[in-house]
Structures are given as structure tokens and as C-alpha cells.
Amino acid sequence: MNRKQKLIAAAALAAVAATWAIPAQAGRTLNAVKSRGMVVCGVNTAAPGFSGADSRGHWKGLDVDICRAVAAAVLKDANKVKFVPLSSEQRFTALQSGQIDILARNTTWSMSRDASQGSVFVAMDYLDGQGFMVPKKYKIHSAKQLNSATICVQTGTSSEKNLADFARANNIKYKPVVFSTTEATQGAFISGRCQAYTTDRSDLAGARLRAKNPNDYVILPETISKEPLGMAIRRGDDDWFQIVRWSFYTMVEAEELGITQKNADSLRSSKNPNVRRLLGLEEDLGRMIGLDKQWSYRIIKQVGNYGESFEANLGPKTPLGLSRGLNRLWTKGGILISPPIR
């Protein structure tokens, strides 16, 4: 082997070694979280039902509960979470830079985001779809009637690209009016700067609540995209990936098994092996992901199951009034399912 061949071989071995070294980085987020005693979650600046802070600075929502579940699992206290409100343009930069540990900002899981943003999606927590909202006074009954309309849309979102695709496919010309934050986009539409507003249908329901008279607005029937919303973490941290993933799936599995915040303690006498595993009574599953035996019990007891969170934040009895739809459990006709926790 001559000198040139030796150099090439050495470079190849170095590349392989670098690849093998990646798992050695795993666990750095978990260590940082334990060191600071706080999970840092990036959330939407204002997304009713998913994340939002009240006048006392108390955060609530489906995404908020998922972050609290991780804190309960890792730090034994669901309240040990710092919420960082982020715009669409800020969110992936904040994740890549280490400013946040989890991006839980009702973000659409797409191939480009999963492959090129230095992030990896953990699970889908809500299936949504993009729609349009218009004032009733315009008497528009279909999104295909929006030719020549001004349409409010948030920049840096999948909504912006979906709008362009929909318009192109249906030969619709429109004038986009873009803003960098949810509040600015919603405010512009409510104030009359745009004839229509497009985003995920759950966001449209939230935006309508900002109006003085919500009944003055109608959400059009078309759903022009699939929007699987989910949590993301930095790529390459397998330990943290497993913790966030299984913290969420614990909430789903608990609903399927009928375990709630209120009955979790009474069910400790259950003979059902699945229930007993989830309550930390049999098999030390936590050890496989670097947690203690009671991690999943704490999630249920301190946060609740997925159905409880949905009903409290998004369901028919909330101002949003959303039905579960496809986000029902698979046993009830929906697509929500947890891999077996065993």
C-alpha cells in the first residue's frame, strides 16, 4: 500500500469511527435536563388548545401536557418545565442551538423537516388538516371561490406552501398577506386586512375566538392537506428520543386501558398485567430508557391520559369545541395508537 492509499484508508476509517461515535453523544439532553432540574419546551406563542399562558403566566394545552409528562417521568415533577414561546421561523433554530429540549409547537411532521432541520420527530400527537376561514358577510361557501382574494397566512409554515399548491392546482390567483407570528396573522384577519385566513383547522377554531363576535366567521368545508402534528428533538440523541416518545405513548396507553388521574391509585389492585406494568407494579420498564420504575405512574397521576388532556383543552366542552374525529383511539374508530408498553 503506497502513501496515497494509506491516507485514503485512514480517512475512510476516520469517517467510520465518526459514525460509530455518534451514539456516544446520546444522553446529553437527559444529563442537561437533570443538571438544571428543568425541561425546556418550545411552544407556540398563542395556540388555544395546544399551548397558551393565562394572565398569571400559567401554561395549558395538549402540547403543554406532553412536556409536563416528560418532566414527570424524568424529574418526578410535572411542573418542572420552562415554556419558551417561539414563532414559526424561530422554532427549529431554537431546537438546533440547544435553547430548548423539546419542540412541542403543534408542528407538522414532514419529510423535509425530519430530514434536513437537524431534528427528528418523535410521534404524532394530533392529526389536523389545513382549511380556510372567511367572514360570513362575503357569502363564500367554498375555498374555490377565493380567486383574487387577499389571504392571511403565517410565513415559515407548511400552510404557506399548501396554499400555493392548492391555488396552483385549482387555477386560483390570490394575494398572500404574510406575518411571522400567529398573533399578528390572526389579528390582521380579524381586523379586516384579509378576505380569508388559512392555517390548520384547529388553529382556525382558536382564531375565531379572538373576534368580538365569533359567529361572524365561517370555516369553509375544504381540508386541503394532512397535517400530522408532533414533537421534535435534536437528531442523534437516542436516549432522549426514547424518553419523550414513551412519555407520550404512556398517555395514549393509559387512555386505552381506562387509567385516569382519579382512578390510578385504585387500579393498583388490578390483576391486568398491562395495567400493572403501566402503574409501575410489575417489570422495571423504566430501566430500559434510563428512568425509575414509577415513571409512567407519575405521568398518569400528575398529568393524566391523552383523552383527559384532549377533553380539557380541545374537546366539545371547551371554547374550541372540537370533536376527537380521527384522533380517537384505534379501538373507537380513530387512528390514535400506542405500541405495546411491555
Side-chain angles (χ1 to χ4, degrees), residues 236-249:
D237 196 334
D238 294 343
D239 291 352
W240 189 241
F241 178 93
Q242 295 294 338
I243 288 171
V244 177
R245 164 185 270 182
W246 291 105
S247 293
F248 169 68
Y249 281 137

Side-chain angles (χ1 to χ4, degrees), residues 246-264:
W246 291 105
S247 293
F248 169 68
Y249 281 137
T250 289
M251 296 176 67
V252 178
E253 184 84 343
E255 182 184 7
E256 183 176 336
L257 294 172
I259 311 174
T260 67
Q261 278 185 296
K262 290 183 177 180
N263 69 16

Side-chain angles (χ1 to χ4, degrees), residues 49-63:
F50 291 95
S51 60
D54 60 22
S55 58
R56 297 173 297 173
H58 176 72
W59 286 83
K60 66 177 296 185
L62 180 65
D63 287 339

Side-chain angles (χ1 to χ4, degrees), residues 40-47 50-53 59-60 62-65 67 81-88 90-91 100 102-107:
V40 183
C41 251
V43 293
N44 206 322
T45 50
F50 291 95
S51 60
W59 286 83
K60 66 177 296 185
L62 180 65
D63 287 339
V64 168
D65 281 349
C67 292
V81 186
K82 177 183 178 182
F83 295 101
V84 179
L86 299 168
S87 69
S88 295
Q90 296 170 328
R91 54 187 164 178
I100 58 175
I102 306 170
L103 177 62
R105 192 194 172 281
N106 57 329
T107 297

Side-chain angles (χ1 to χ4, degrees), residues 17 29 36 104 106 124 126 128 131 133 139 160 168 185 195 206 220 227 240 266 284 301 312 317 335:
T29 305
R36 81 168 81 93
N106 57 329
M124 182 187 75
Y126 186 92
D128 211 336
M133 182 163 64
K139 297 182 179 179
E160 191 175 19
R168 181 180 176 185
T185 313
Q195 295 166 296
L220 299 178
E227 304 294 327
W240 189 241
S266 64
D284 190 357
K301 190 65 180 174
K317 294 182 181 179
I335 64 170

Side-chain angles (χ1 to χ4, degrees), residues 1-22:
M1 184 180 290
N2 60 35
R3 178 176 175 77
K4 182 176 180 181
Q5 289 172 323
K6 288 180 180 179
L7 288 173
I8 293 173
L13 285 171
V16 172
T19 302
W20 287 346
I22 289 174

Side-chain angles (χ1 to χ4, degrees), residues 22 38 54 74 95 111 121 125 164 286 325:
I22 289 174
M38 194 76 65
D54 60 22
V74 176
L95 182 62
M111 180 179 176
F121 280 81
D125 58 55

